[in-house]
Amino acid sequence: MLDSLIVPLFVTTDLPPQADLAEFGELLAETARTLDHDDVSYAAFLAGKVFWLDRPVLPRQRPAAEGEPRFAALLGYLAASGTGHTSRDVVADARRAIDAAVTSRYGDVGAAPAVFAIRDRDVRERTPETAVYVGTRDAAADLVTVTRPYL
């Protein structure tokens, strides 16, 4: 079995109003395929569910302004291969990679994506039933295997 660290993760950011939620999730999952720490790369696997975190509005306020950004989120698990990783380092590495990918794909969305570790219980309890599953395609089989029980 592969040495790995699994971190429950929350990611949220503003997206342009025309952004596709599934595409955003795929971007996050594929960005996490390989992470870097101190110029050393390591394999990773991100699996979770993406959903919109739209602002609460009264019915008379819908639809939201056409140019208004939308908030998207992911709740899931990030598995990092190898030994010697700390949750803090893995999250920081993911944060840098996700920030670069979101900026590259969507441009300046006003603020860097928020990426942070959360409790496992929060992933289970706070993921909406309507959320869309995403996962790093063709990730290292051992990372998928160790993460599967959490999903």
Side-chain angles (χ1 to χ4, degrees):
M1 181 66 58
L2 181 71
D3 284 330
S4 60
L5 173 68
I6 299 171
V7 180
L9 199 69
F10 178 64
V11 178
T12 187
T13 192
D14 292 340
L15 293 179
Q18 72 279 8
D20 178 81
L21 184 63
E23 179 185 307
F24 168 69
E26 184 176 314
L27 175 71
L28 295 180
E30 294 308 311
T31 296
R33 175 180 306 284
T34 304
L35 299 176
D36 299 304
H37 188 77
D38 293 336
D39 297 322
V40 176
S41 295
Y42 58 95
F45 171 67
L46 176 63
K49 293 187 176 184
V50 291
F51 51 96
W52 293 114
L53 275 174
D54 287 326
R55 66 183 172 92
V57 294
L58 299 172
R60 72 181 189 292
Q61 295 173 308
R62 290 190 181 145
E66 216 168 279
E68 187 174 305
R70 293 186 76 186
F71 301 106
L74 172 133
L75 284 167
Y77 298 91
L78 177 61
S81 66
T83 59
H85 298 297
T86 66
S87 293
R88 182 181 300 265
D89 289 342
V90 169
V91 171
D93 299 342
R95 184 179 297 118
R96 279 190 299 278
I98 289 170
D99 183 31
V102 168
T103 300
S104 175
R105 170 64 183 93
Y106 300 105
D108 181 7
V109 292
V115 179
F116 50 93
I118 59 174
R119 298 177 308 165
D120 175 54
R121 178 175 154 181
D122 287 330
V123 174
R124 291 189 313 271
E125 292 177 356
R126 298 179 187 271
T127 303
E129 289 185 24
T130 58
V132 177
Y133 174 82
V134 296
T136 307
R137 287 177 283 151
D138 303 319
D142 286 345
L143 286 175
V144 175
T145 300
V146 299
T147 308
R148 188 167 286 129
Y150 295 90
L151 304 174

